[in-house]
PDB file of all heavy atoms in Angstrom:
ATOM      1  N   ARG A 319       1.695 -25.048  11.164  1.00  0.00           N
ATOM      2  CA  ARG A 319       2.602 -26.239  11.193  1.00  0.00           C
ATOM      3  C   ARG A 319       3.281 -26.384   9.832  1.00  0.00           C
ATOM      4  O   ARG A 319       2.689 -26.370   8.793  1.00  0.00           O
ATOM      5  CB  ARG A 319       1.814 -27.505  11.532  1.00  0.00           C
ATOM      6  CG  ARG A 319       2.644 -28.787  11.445  1.00  0.00           C
ATOM      7  CD  ARG A 319       2.062 -29.831  12.282  1.00  0.00           C
ATOM      8  NE  ARG A 319       2.181 -29.446  13.742  1.00  0.00           N
ATOM      9  CZ  ARG A 319       1.582 -30.088  14.734  1.00  0.00           C
ATOM     10  NH1 ARG A 319       0.830 -31.174  14.472  1.00  0.00           N
ATOM     11  NH2 ARG A 319       1.783 -29.697  15.955  1.00  0.00           N
ATOM     12  N   ASN A 320       4.573 -26.588   9.904  1.00  0.00           N
ATOM     13  CA  ASN A 320       5.387 -26.972   8.748  1.00  0.00           C
ATOM     14  C   ASN A 320       5.659 -28.493   8.870  1.00  0.00           C
ATOM     15  O   ASN A 320       6.360 -28.940   9.703  1.00  0.00           O
ATOM     16  CB  ASN A 320       6.673 -26.209   8.734  1.00  0.00           C
ATOM     17  CG  ASN A 320       7.463 -26.391   7.442  1.00  0.00           C
ATOM     18  OD1 ASN A 320       7.244 -27.284   6.706  1.00  0.00           O
ATOM     19  ND2 ASN A 320       8.391 -25.404   7.182  1.00  0.00           N
ATOM     20  N   PHE A 321       5.010 -29.232   7.931  1.00  0.00           N
ATOM     21  CA  PHE A 321       5.140 -30.690   8.079  1.00  0.00           C
ATOM     22  C   PHE A 321       6.394 -31.273   7.549  1.00  0.00           C
ATOM     23  O   PHE A 321       6.763 -32.422   7.836  1.00  0.00           O
ATOM     24  CB  PHE A 321       3.936 -31.346   7.322  1.00  0.00           C
ATOM     25  CG  PHE A 321       2.628 -31.103   8.066  1.00  0.00           C
ATOM     26  CD1 PHE A 321       1.791 -30.013   7.677  1.00  0.00           C
ATOM     27  CD2 PHE A 321       2.179 -31.961   9.029  1.00  0.00           C
ATOM     28  CE1 PHE A 321       0.589 -29.817   8.300  1.00  0.00           C
ATOM     29  CE2 PHE A 321       0.940 -31.780   9.643  1.00  0.00           C
ATOM     30  CZ  PHE A 321       0.175 -30.688   9.256  1.00  0.00           C
ATOM     31  N   ASN A 322       7.185 -30.487   6.807  1.00  0.00           N
ATOM     32  CA  ASN A 322       8.449 -31.015   6.248  1.00  0.00           C
ATOM     33  C   ASN A 322       9.333 -29.803   5.951  1.00  0.00           C
ATOM     34  O   ASN A 322       9.894 -29.179   6.785  1.00  0.00           O
ATOM     35  CB  ASN A 322       8.167 -31.882   5.071  1.00  0.00           C
ATOM     36  CG  ASN A 322       9.385 -32.663   4.618  1.00  0.00           C
ATOM     37  OD1 ASN A 322      10.429 -32.675   5.315  1.00  0.00           O
ATOM     38  ND2 ASN A 322       9.351 -33.320   3.473  1.00  0.00           N
ATOM     39  N   ASP A 323       9.475 -29.508   4.669  1.00  0.00           N
ATOM     40  CA  ASP A 323      10.313 -28.453   4.199  1.00  0.00           C
ATOM     41  C   ASP A 323       9.490 -27.328   3.630  1.00  0.00           C
ATOM     42  O   ASP A 323       8.837 -27.588   2.567  1.00  0.00           O
ATOM     43  CB  ASP A 323      11.327 -29.027   3.109  1.00  0.00           C
ATOM     44  CG  ASP A 323      12.256 -28.005   2.572  1.00  0.00           C
ATOM     45  OD1 ASP A 323      11.942 -26.851   2.533  1.00  0.00           O
ATOM     46  OD2 ASP A 323      13.377 -28.362   2.219  1.00  0.00           O
ATOM     47  N   GLY A 324       9.445 -26.133   4.127  1.00  0.00           N
ATOM     48  CA  GLY A 324       8.638 -25.078   3.635  1.00  0.00           C
ATOM     49  C   GLY A 324       8.826 -23.799   4.394  1.00  0.00           C
ATOM     50  O   GLY A 324       9.330 -23.783   5.520  1.00  0.00           O
ATOM     51  N   GLY A 325       8.408 -22.674   3.788  1.00  0.00           N
ATOM     52  CA  GLY A 325       8.514 -21.365   4.404  1.00  0.00           C
ATOM     53  C   GLY A 325       7.388 -20.475   3.981  1.00  0.00           C
ATOM     54  O   GLY A 325       6.803 -20.649   2.854  1.00  0.00           O
ATOM     55  N   MET A 326       7.146 -19.453   4.733  1.00  0.00           N
ATOM     56  CA  MET A 326       6.080 -18.468   4.446  1.00  0.00           C
ATOM     57  C   MET A 326       6.587 -17.061   4.640  1.00  0.00           C
ATOM     58  O   MET A 326       7.612 -16.835   5.346  1.00  0.00           O
ATOM     59  CB  MET A 326       4.837 -18.671   5.341  1.00  0.00           C
ATOM     60  CG  MET A 326       4.235 -20.087   5.239  1.00  0.00           C
ATOM     61  SD  MET A 326       2.517 -20.157   5.812  1.00  0.00           S
ATOM     62  CE  MET A 326       1.715 -19.694   4.235  1.00  0.00           C
ATOM     63  N   LYS A 327       5.901 -16.104   4.018  1.00  0.00           N
ATOM     64  CA  LYS A 327       6.369 -14.695   4.099  1.00  0.00           C
ATOM     65  C   LYS A 327       5.142 -13.785   4.079  1.00  0.00           C
ATOM     66  O   LYS A 327       4.029 -14.169   3.679  1.00  0.00           O
ATOM     67  CB  LYS A 327       7.282 -14.334   2.928  1.00  0.00           C
ATOM     68  CG  LYS A 327       6.536 -14.327   1.644  1.00  0.00           C
ATOM     69  CD  LYS A 327       7.477 -13.941   0.451  1.00  0.00           C
ATOM     70  CE  LYS A 327       6.679 -13.940  -0.901  1.00  0.00           C
ATOM     71  NZ  LYS A 327       7.560 -13.620  -2.032  1.00  0.00           N
ATOM     72  N   GLN A 328       5.383 -12.523   4.466  1.00  0.00           N
ATOM     73  CA  GLN A 328       4.372 -11.483   4.401  1.00  0.00           C
ATOM     74  C   GLN A 328       5.143 -10.177   4.220  1.00  0.00           C
ATOM     75  O   GLN A 328       6.182  -9.920   4.877  1.00  0.00           O
ATOM     76  CB  GLN A 328       3.473 -11.450   5.610  1.00  0.00           C
ATOM     77  CG  GLN A 328       2.363 -10.540   5.510  1.00  0.00           C
ATOM     78  CD  GLN A 328       1.268 -10.644   6.629  1.00  0.00           C
ATOM     79  OE1 GLN A 328       0.596  -9.634   6.976  1.00  0.00           O
ATOM     80  NE2 GLN A 328       1.212 -11.798   7.214  1.00  0.00           N
ATOM     81  N   GLU A 329       4.656  -9.263   3.412  1.00  0.00           N
ATOM     82  CA  GLU A 329       5.235  -8.027   3.155  1.00  0.00           C
ATOM     83  C   GLU A 329       4.344  -6.820   3.638  1.00  0.00           C
ATOM     84  O   GLU A 329       3.152  -6.929   3.436  1.00  0.00           O
ATOM     85  CB  GLU A 329       5.646  -7.841   1.690  1.00  0.00           C
ATOM     86  CG  GLU A 329       6.655  -8.828   1.182  1.00  0.00           C
ATOM     87  CD  GLU A 329       7.031  -8.585  -0.248  1.00  0.00           C
ATOM     88  OE1 GLU A 329       6.495  -7.598  -0.901  1.00  0.00           O
ATOM     89  OE2 GLU A 329       7.881  -9.323  -0.806  1.00  0.00           O
ATOM     90  N   VAL A 330       4.975  -5.821   4.257  1.00  0.00           N
ATOM     91  CA  VAL A 330       4.230  -4.650   4.700  1.00  0.00           C
ATOM     92  C   VAL A 330       4.994  -3.390   4.323  1.00  0.00           C
ATOM     93  O   VAL A 330       6.202  -3.427   4.189  1.00  0.00           O
ATOM     94  CB  VAL A 330       3.991  -4.726   6.208  1.00  0.00           C
ATOM     95  CG1 VAL A 330       3.169  -5.923   6.599  1.00  0.00           C
ATOM     96  CG2 VAL A 330       5.296  -4.675   6.986  1.00  0.00           C
ATOM     97  N   VAL A 331       4.255  -2.304   4.154  1.00  0.00           N
ATOM     98  CA  VAL A 331       4.904  -1.010   3.879  1.00  0.00           C
ATOM     99  C   VAL A 331       5.533  -0.445   5.110  1.00  0.00           C
ATOM    100  O   VAL A 331       4.950  -0.487   6.167  1.00  0.00           O
ATOM    101  CB  VAL A 331       3.806  -0.021   3.302  1.00  0.00           C
ATOM    102  CG1 VAL A 331       4.493   1.393   3.084  1.00  0.00           C
ATOM    103  CG2 VAL A 331       3.291  -0.597   1.971  1.00  0.00           C
ATOM    104  N   VAL A 332       6.742   0.122   4.954  1.00  0.00           N
ATOM    105  CA  VAL A 332       7.444   0.743   6.098  1.00  0.00           C
ATOM    106  C   VAL A 332       7.789   2.175   5.738  1.00  0.00           C
ATOM    107  O   VAL A 332       7.765   2.627   4.551  1.00  0.00           O
ATOM    108  CB  VAL A 332       8.703   0.015   6.421  1.00  0.00           C
ATOM    109  CG1 VAL A 332       8.334  -1.435   6.936  1.00  0.00           C
ATOM    110  CG2 VAL A 332       9.686  -0.102   5.298  1.00  0.00           C
ATOM    111  N   THR A 333       8.098   2.982   6.799  1.00  0.00           N
ATOM    112  CA  THR A 333       8.555   4.350   6.648  1.00  0.00           C
ATOM    113  C   THR A 333      10.048   4.450   6.886  1.00  0.00           C
ATOM    114  O   THR A 333      10.493   4.008   7.997  1.00  0.00           O
ATOM    115  CB  THR A 333       7.813   5.273   7.665  1.00  0.00           C
ATOM    116  OG1 THR A 333       6.398   5.109   7.419  1.00  0.00           O
ATOM    117  CG2 THR A 333       8.247   6.693   7.502  1.00  0.00           C
ATOM    118  N   PRO A 334      10.843   4.941   5.977  1.00  0.00           N
ATOM    119  CA  PRO A 334      12.292   5.091   6.218  1.00  0.00           C
ATOM    120  C   PRO A 334      12.616   5.913   7.455  1.00  0.00           C
ATOM    121  O   PRO A 334      11.933   6.989   7.738  1.00  0.00           O
ATOM    122  CB  PRO A 334      12.777   5.814   4.942  1.00  0.00           C
ATOM    123  CG  PRO A 334      11.780   5.460   3.912  1.00  0.00           C
ATOM    124  CD  PRO A 334      10.431   5.344   4.619  1.00  0.00           C
ATOM    125  N   GLY A 335      13.547   5.509   8.225  1.00  0.00           N
ATOM    126  CA  GLY A 335      13.892   6.180   9.509  1.00  0.00           C
ATOM    127  C   GLY A 335      13.059   5.785  10.671  1.00  0.00           C
ATOM    128  O   GLY A 335      13.432   6.084  11.824  1.00  0.00           O
ATOM    129  N   GLN A 336      11.993   5.017  10.468  1.00  0.00           N
ATOM    130  CA  GLN A 336      11.155   4.536  11.578  1.00  0.00           C
ATOM    131  C   GLN A 336      11.741   3.263  12.091  1.00  0.00           C
ATOM    132  O   GLN A 336      12.192   2.363  11.371  1.00  0.00           O
ATOM    133  CB  GLN A 336       9.707   4.322  11.137  1.00  0.00           C
ATOM    134  CG  GLN A 336       8.827   3.558  12.113  1.00  0.00           C
ATOM    135  CD  GLN A 336       8.505   4.351  13.330  1.00  0.00           C
ATOM    136  OE1 GLN A 336       8.056   5.490  13.261  1.00  0.00           O
ATOM    137  NE2 GLN A 336       8.786   3.774  14.500  1.00  0.00           N
ATOM    138  N   ALA A 337      11.774   3.062  13.425  1.00  0.00           N
ATOM    139  CA  ALA A 337      12.222   1.849  14.042  1.00  0.00           C
ATOM    140  C   ALA A 337      11.114   0.813  14.099  1.00  0.00           C
ATOM    141  O   ALA A 337       9.981   1.177  14.443  1.00  0.00           O
ATOM    142  CB  ALA A 337      12.802   2.116  15.444  1.00  0.00           C
ATOM    143  N   TYR A 338      11.458  -0.402  13.864  1.00  0.00           N
ATOM    144  CA  TYR A 338      10.491  -1.555  13.920  1.00  0.00           C
ATOM    145  C   TYR A 338      11.084  -2.701  14.681  1.00  0.00           C
ATOM    146  O   TYR A 338      12.278  -2.798  14.865  1.00  0.00           O
ATOM    147  CB  TYR A 338      10.151  -2.017  12.474  1.00  0.00           C
ATOM    148  CG  TYR A 338       9.432  -1.036  11.662  1.00  0.00           C
ATOM    149  CD1 TYR A 338      10.172  -0.107  10.879  1.00  0.00           C
ATOM    150  CD2 TYR A 338       8.029  -0.905  11.606  1.00  0.00           C
ATOM    151  CE1 TYR A 338       9.513   0.865  10.080  1.00  0.00           C
ATOM    152  CE2 TYR A 338       7.447   0.022  10.791  1.00  0.00           C
ATOM    153  CZ  TYR A 338       8.127   0.933  10.070  1.00  0.00           C
ATOM    154  OH  TYR A 338       7.523   1.885   9.255  1.00  0.00           O
ATOM    155  N   ARG A 339      10.206  -3.607  15.118  1.00  0.00           N
ATOM    156  CA  ARG A 339      10.633  -4.737  15.837  1.00  0.00           C
ATOM    157  C   ARG A 339       9.824  -5.938  15.406  1.00  0.00           C
ATOM    158  O   ARG A 339       8.587  -5.897  15.340  1.00  0.00           O
ATOM    159  CB  ARG A 339      10.523  -4.580  17.307  1.00  0.00           C
ATOM    160  CG  ARG A 339      11.007  -5.717  18.174  1.00  0.00           C
ATOM    161  CD  ARG A 339      10.899  -5.352  19.641  1.00  0.00           C
ATOM    162  NE  ARG A 339      11.409  -6.360  20.531  1.00  0.00           N
ATOM    163  CZ  ARG A 339      11.351  -6.295  21.886  1.00  0.00           C
ATOM    164  NH1 ARG A 339      10.810  -5.204  22.415  1.00  0.00           N
ATOM    165  NH2 ARG A 339      11.856  -7.260  22.595  1.00  0.00           N
ATOM    166  N   LEU A 340      10.477  -7.074  15.101  1.00  0.00           N
ATOM    167  CA  LEU A 340       9.812  -8.303  14.744  1.00  0.00           C
ATOM    168  C   LEU A 340      10.004  -9.367  15.844  1.00  0.00           C
ATOM    169  O   LEU A 340      11.138  -9.607  16.301  1.00  0.00           O
ATOM    170  CB  LEU A 340      10.390  -8.845  13.392  1.00  0.00           C
ATOM    171  CG  LEU A 340       9.913 -10.325  13.049  1.00  0.00           C
ATOM    172  CD1 LEU A 340       8.459 -10.388  12.759  1.00  0.00           C
ATOM    173  CD2 LEU A 340      10.765 -10.783  11.802  1.00  0.00           C
ATOM    174  N   THR A 341       8.928  -9.931  16.236  1.00  0.00           N
ATOM    175  CA  THR A 341       9.000 -11.104  17.181  1.00  0.00           C
ATOM    176  C   THR A 341       8.102 -12.200  16.670  1.00  0.00           C
ATOM    177  O   THR A 341       7.166 -12.006  15.945  1.00  0.00           O
ATOM    178  CB  THR A 341       8.502 -10.685  18.573  1.00  0.00           C
ATOM    179  OG1 THR A 341       7.159 -10.203  18.505  1.00  0.00           O
ATOM    180  CG2 THR A 341       9.420  -9.651  19.222  1.00  0.00           C
ATOM    181  N   GLY A 342       8.422 -13.430  16.989  1.00  0.00           N
ATOM    182  CA  GLY A 342       7.685 -14.590  16.632  1.00  0.00           C
ATOM    183  C   GLY A 342       8.191 -15.788  17.363  1.00  0.00           C
ATOM    184  O   GLY A 342       9.292 -15.816  17.985  1.00  0.00           O
ATOM    185  N   TYR A 343       7.379 -16.880  17.424  1.00  0.00           N
ATOM    186  CA  TYR A 343       7.736 -18.018  18.158  1.00  0.00           C
ATOM    187  C   TYR A 343       7.857 -19.276  17.185  1.00  0.00           C
ATOM    188  O   TYR A 343       7.065 -19.370  16.256  1.00  0.00           O
ATOM    189  CB  TYR A 343       6.674 -18.376  19.163  1.00  0.00           C
ATOM    190  CG  TYR A 343       6.626 -17.430  20.336  1.00  0.00           C
ATOM    191  CD1 TYR A 343       5.877 -16.216  20.228  1.00  0.00           C
ATOM    192  CD2 TYR A 343       7.340 -17.671  21.508  1.00  0.00           C
ATOM    193  CE1 TYR A 343       5.838 -15.314  21.362  1.00  0.00           C
ATOM    194  CE2 TYR A 343       7.293 -16.745  22.590  1.00  0.00           C
ATOM    195  CZ  TYR A 343       6.554 -15.589  22.486  1.00  0.00           C
ATOM    196  OH  TYR A 343       6.575 -14.739  23.489  1.00  0.00           O
ATOM    197  N   ALA A 344       8.823 -20.125  17.532  1.00  0.00           N
ATOM    198  CA  ALA A 344       9.054 -21.396  16.765  1.00  0.00           C
ATOM    199  C   ALA A 344       9.231 -22.474  17.716  1.00  0.00           C
ATOM    200  O   ALA A 344       9.964 -22.403  18.762  1.00  0.00           O
ATOM    201  CB  ALA A 344      10.241 -21.224  15.863  1.00  0.00           C
ATOM    202  N   TRP A 345       8.607 -23.606  17.359  1.00  0.00           N
ATOM    203  CA  TRP A 345       8.804 -24.903  18.135  1.00  0.00           C
ATOM    204  C   TRP A 345       9.490 -25.841  17.239  1.00  0.00           C
ATOM    205  O   TRP A 345       8.940 -26.221  16.166  1.00  0.00           O
ATOM    206  CB  TRP A 345       7.434 -25.456  18.514  1.00  0.00           C
ATOM    207  CG  TRP A 345       7.460 -26.661  19.480  1.00  0.00           C
ATOM    208  CD1 TRP A 345       7.342 -26.656  20.832  1.00  0.00           C
ATOM    209  CD2 TRP A 345       7.639 -28.006  19.123  1.00  0.00           C
ATOM    210  NE1 TRP A 345       7.380 -27.907  21.339  1.00  0.00           N
ATOM    211  CE2 TRP A 345       7.502 -28.741  20.289  1.00  0.00           C
ATOM    212  CE3 TRP A 345       7.769 -28.646  17.888  1.00  0.00           C
ATOM    213  CZ2 TRP A 345       7.665 -30.183  20.283  1.00  0.00           C
ATOM    214  CZ3 TRP A 345       7.893 -30.034  17.847  1.00  0.00           C
ATOM    215  CH2 TRP A 345       7.818 -30.783  19.025  1.00  0.00           C
ATOM    216  N   VAL A 346      10.763 -26.145  17.569  1.00  0.00           N
ATOM    217  CA  VAL A 346      11.594 -26.993  16.675  1.00  0.00           C
ATOM    218  C   VAL A 346      11.915 -28.276  17.393  1.00  0.00           C
ATOM    219  O   VAL A 346      12.406 -28.289  18.553  1.00  0.00           O
ATOM    220  CB  VAL A 346      12.926 -26.218  16.319  1.00  0.00           C
ATOM    221  CG1 VAL A 346      13.780 -27.125  15.412  1.00  0.00           C
ATOM    222  CG2 VAL A 346      12.587 -24.965  15.619  1.00  0.00           C
ATOM    223  N   PRO A 347      11.662 -29.408  16.767  1.00  0.00           N
ATOM    224  CA  PRO A 347      11.908 -30.720  17.433  1.00  0.00           C
ATOM    225  C   PRO A 347      13.371 -31.056  17.465  1.00  0.00           C
ATOM    226  O   PRO A 347      14.155 -30.544  16.681  1.00  0.00           O
ATOM    227  CB  PRO A 347      11.083 -31.701  16.586  1.00  0.00           C
ATOM    228  CG  PRO A 347      11.100 -31.102  15.227  1.00  0.00           C
ATOM    229  CD  PRO A 347      11.066 -29.662  15.449  1.00  0.00           C
ATOM    230  N   SER A 348      13.730 -32.071  18.243  1.00  0.00           N
ATOM    231  CA  SER A 348      15.110 -32.626  18.216  1.00  0.00           C
ATOM    232  C   SER A 348      15.352 -33.266  16.901  1.00  0.00           C
ATOM    233  O   SER A 348      14.466 -33.866  16.346  1.00  0.00           O
ATOM    234  CB  SER A 348      15.278 -33.531  19.412  1.00  0.00           C
ATOM    235  OG  SER A 348      15.082 -32.947  20.647  1.00  0.00           O
ATOM    236  N   GLY A 349      16.581 -33.173  16.430  1.00  0.00           N
ATOM    237  CA  GLY A 349      16.921 -33.786  15.161  1.00  0.00           C
ATOM    238  C   GLY A 349      18.262 -34.439  15.263  1.00  0.00           C
ATOM    239  O   GLY A 349      19.173 -34.022  15.944  1.00  0.00           O
ATOM    240  N   SER A 350      18.454 -35.564  14.585  1.00  0.00           N
ATOM    241  CA  SER A 350      19.681 -36.335  14.692  1.00  0.00           C
ATOM    242  C   SER A 350      20.745 -35.893  13.702  1.00  0.00           C
ATOM    243  O   SER A 350      21.934 -36.078  13.952  1.00  0.00           O
ATOM    244  CB  SER A 350      19.440 -37.833  14.432  1.00  0.00           C
ATOM    245  OG  SER A 350      18.781 -38.017  13.175  1.00  0.00           O
ATOM    246  N   VAL A 351      20.303 -35.271  12.564  1.00  0.00           N
ATOM    247  CA  VAL A 351      21.311 -34.829  11.556  1.00  0.00           C
ATOM    248  C   VAL A 351      21.314 -33.320  11.612  1.00  0.00           C
ATOM    249  O   VAL A 351      20.619 -32.642  10.891  1.00  0.00           O
ATOM    250  CB  VAL A 351      20.895 -35.292  10.129  1.00  0.00           C
ATOM    251  CG1 VAL A 351      21.972 -34.994   9.112  1.00  0.00           C
ATOM    252  CG2 VAL A 351      20.654 -36.849  10.158  1.00  0.00           C
ATOM    253  N   ALA A 352      22.256 -32.768  12.415  1.00  0.00           N
ATOM    254  CA  ALA A 352      22.205 -31.415  12.718  1.00  0.00           C
ATOM    255  C   ALA A 352      22.641 -30.485  11.537  1.00  0.00           C
ATOM    256  O   ALA A 352      22.218 -29.321  11.486  1.00  0.00           O
ATOM    257  CB  ALA A 352      23.204 -31.064  13.905  1.00  0.00           C
ATOM    258  N   THR A 353      23.379 -31.041  10.614  1.00  0.00           N
ATOM    259  CA  THR A 353      23.889 -30.198   9.478  1.00  0.00           C
ATOM    260  C   THR A 353      22.968 -30.214   8.276  1.00  0.00           C
ATOM    261  O   THR A 353      23.234 -29.594   7.294  1.00  0.00           O
ATOM    262  CB  THR A 353      25.250 -30.680   9.048  1.00  0.00           C
ATOM    263  OG1 THR A 353      25.154 -32.064   8.618  1.00  0.00           O
ATOM    264  CG2 THR A 353      26.264 -30.586  10.160  1.00  0.00           C
ATOM    265  N   ALA A 354      21.900 -30.948   8.347  1.00  0.00           N
ATOM    266  CA  ALA A 354      21.078 -31.232   7.154  1.00  0.00           C
ATOM    267  C   ALA A 354      19.827 -30.342   7.031  1.00  0.00           C
ATOM    268  O   ALA A 354      19.131 -30.400   6.054  1.00  0.00           O
ATOM    269  CB  ALA A 354      20.595 -32.683   7.127  1.00  0.00           C
ATOM    270  N   TRP A 355      19.615 -29.466   7.953  1.00  0.00           N
ATOM    271  CA  TRP A 355      18.405 -28.625   7.933  1.00  0.00           C
ATOM    272  C   TRP A 355      18.610 -27.342   8.784  1.00  0.00           C
ATOM    273  O   TRP A 355      19.599 -27.215   9.483  1.00  0.00           O
ATOM    274  CB  TRP A 355      17.252 -29.430   8.455  1.00  0.00           C
ATOM    275  CG  TRP A 355      17.442 -29.880   9.892  1.00  0.00           C
ATOM    276  CD1 TRP A 355      18.163 -30.974  10.278  1.00  0.00           C
ATOM    277  CD2 TRP A 355      16.928 -29.279  11.035  1.00  0.00           C
ATOM    278  NE1 TRP A 355      18.175 -31.060  11.648  1.00  0.00           N
ATOM    279  CE2 TRP A 355      17.378 -30.034  12.158  1.00  0.00           C
ATOM    280  CE3 TRP A 355      16.114 -28.196  11.309  1.00  0.00           C
ATOM    281  CZ2 TRP A 355      17.092 -29.718  13.518  1.00  0.00           C
ATOM    282  CZ3 TRP A 355      15.848 -27.854  12.624  1.00  0.00           C
ATOM    283  CH2 TRP A 355      16.317 -28.648  13.663  1.00  0.00           C
ATOM    284  N   GLY A 356      17.624 -26.494   8.684  1.00  0.00           N
ATOM    285  CA  GLY A 356      17.702 -25.295   9.495  1.00  0.00           C
ATOM    286  C   GLY A 356      16.276 -24.693   9.688  1.00  0.00           C
ATOM    287  O   GLY A 356      15.343 -25.020   8.874  1.00  0.00           O
ATOM    288  N   SER A 357      16.052 -23.926  10.711  1.00  0.00           N
ATOM    289  CA  SER A 357      14.834 -23.206  11.013  1.00  0.00           C
ATOM    290  C   SER A 357      15.128 -21.803  11.359  1.00  0.00           C
ATOM    291  O   SER A 357      16.079 -21.502  12.103  1.00  0.00           O
ATOM    292  CB  SER A 357      14.045 -23.881  12.141  1.00  0.00           C
ATOM    293  OG  SER A 357      13.494 -25.127  11.748  1.00  0.00           O
ATOM    294  N   TYR A 358      14.335 -20.869  10.849  1.00  0.00           N
ATOM    295  CA  TYR A 358      14.703 -19.480  11.018  1.00  0.00           C
ATOM    296  C   TYR A 358      13.474 -18.554  11.058  1.00  0.00           C
ATOM    297  O   TYR A 358      12.443 -18.944  10.615  1.00  0.00           O
ATOM    298  CB  TYR A 358      15.682 -19.007   9.971  1.00  0.00           C
ATOM    299  CG  TYR A 358      14.966 -18.908   8.590  1.00  0.00           C
ATOM    300  CD1 TYR A 358      14.448 -17.668   8.175  1.00  0.00           C
ATOM    301  CD2 TYR A 358      14.773 -19.977   7.788  1.00  0.00           C
ATOM    302  CE1 TYR A 358      13.818 -17.517   6.984  1.00  0.00           C
ATOM    303  CE2 TYR A 358      14.173 -19.917   6.586  1.00  0.00           C
ATOM    304  CZ  TYR A 358      13.662 -18.705   6.153  1.00  0.00           C
ATOM    305  OH  TYR A 358      12.978 -18.577   4.971  1.00  0.00           O
ATOM    306  N   ILE A 359      13.652 -17.333  11.591  1.00  0.00           N
ATOM    307  CA  ILE A 359      12.819 -16.238  11.504  1.00  0.00           C
ATOM    308  C   ILE A 359      13.571 -15.108  10.930  1.00  0.00           C
ATOM    309  O   ILE A 359      14.690 -14.834  11.430  1.00  0.00           O
ATOM    310  CB  ILE A 359      12.124 -15.876  12.842  1.00  0.00           C
ATOM    311  CG1 ILE A 359      11.176 -17.016  13.334  1.00  0.00           C
ATOM    312  CG2 ILE A 359      11.358 -14.544  12.764  1.00  0.00           C
ATOM    313  CD1 ILE A 359      10.673 -16.836  14.707  1.00  0.00           C
ATOM    314  N   GLN A 360      13.062 -14.350   9.944  1.00  0.00           N
ATOM    315  CA  GLN A 360      13.880 -13.358   9.282  1.00  0.00           C
ATOM    316  C   GLN A 360      13.085 -12.050   8.899  1.00  0.00           C
ATOM    317  O   GLN A 360      11.913 -12.203   8.612  1.00  0.00           O
ATOM    318  CB  GLN A 360      14.520 -13.977   8.009  1.00  0.00           C
ATOM    319  CG  GLN A 360      15.514 -13.050   7.284  1.00  0.00           C
ATOM    320  CD  GLN A 360      16.090 -13.740   6.067  1.00  0.00           C
ATOM    321  OE1 GLN A 360      15.319 -14.165   5.148  1.00  0.00           O
ATOM    322  NE2 GLN A 360      17.399 -13.876   6.013  1.00  0.00           N
ATOM    323  N   LEU A 361      13.788 -10.960   8.931  1.00  0.00           N
ATOM    324  CA  LEU A 361      13.252  -9.661   8.548  1.00  0.00           C
ATOM    325  C   LEU A 361      14.187  -9.131   7.467  1.00  0.00           C
ATOM    326  O   LEU A 361      15.418  -9.059   7.620  1.00  0.00           O
ATOM    327  CB  LEU A 361      13.186  -8.693   9.707  1.00  0.00           C
ATOM    328  CG  LEU A 361      12.951  -7.227   9.346  1.00  0.00           C
ATOM    329  CD1 LEU A 361      11.628  -7.042   8.693  1.00  0.00           C
ATOM    330  CD2 LEU A 361      13.027  -6.373  10.628  1.00  0.00           C
ATOM    331  N   LYS A 362      13.606  -8.700   6.345  1.00  0.00           N
ATOM    332  CA  LYS A 362      14.355  -8.046   5.282  1.00  0.00           C
ATOM    333  C   LYS A 362      13.651  -6.703   4.930  1.00  0.00           C
ATOM    334  O   LYS A 362      12.418  -6.655   4.758  1.00  0.00           O
ATOM    335  CB  LYS A 362      14.397  -8.877   3.967  1.00  0.00           C
ATOM    336  CG  LYS A 362      15.352 -10.022   3.976  1.00  0.00           C
ATOM    337  CD  LYS A 362      15.368 -10.709   2.602  1.00  0.00           C
ATOM    338  CE  LYS A 362      16.331 -11.927   2.518  1.00  0.00           C
ATOM    339  NZ  LYS A 362      16.251 -12.522   1.157  1.00  0.00           N
TER     340      LYS A 362
END
């Protein structure tokens, strides 16, 4: 649970040329100020 503003990460070793896939789930509540915040899942 993210109670307000925050983010987490994890790093793993990869092999160049190997294909990978990231999946994850997020539950995001309704918000009245649509331009003031964001929620994301990301792979770098």
Side-chain angles (χ1 to χ4, degrees):
R319 174 154 296 169
N320 191 338
F321 290 92
N322 191 9
D323 181 329
M326 305 200 84
K327 68 179 180 183
Q328 189 171 151
E329 294 182 1
V330 299
V331 175
V332 296
T333 301
Q336 170 68 53
Y338 296 88
R339 183 179 184 182
L340 170 65
T341 59
Y343 289 86
W345 188 97
V346 180
S348 300
S350 58
V351 186
T353 60
W355 60 280
S357 289
Y358 70 95
I359 293 172
Q360 186 178 57
L361 166 63
K362 284 184 180 180

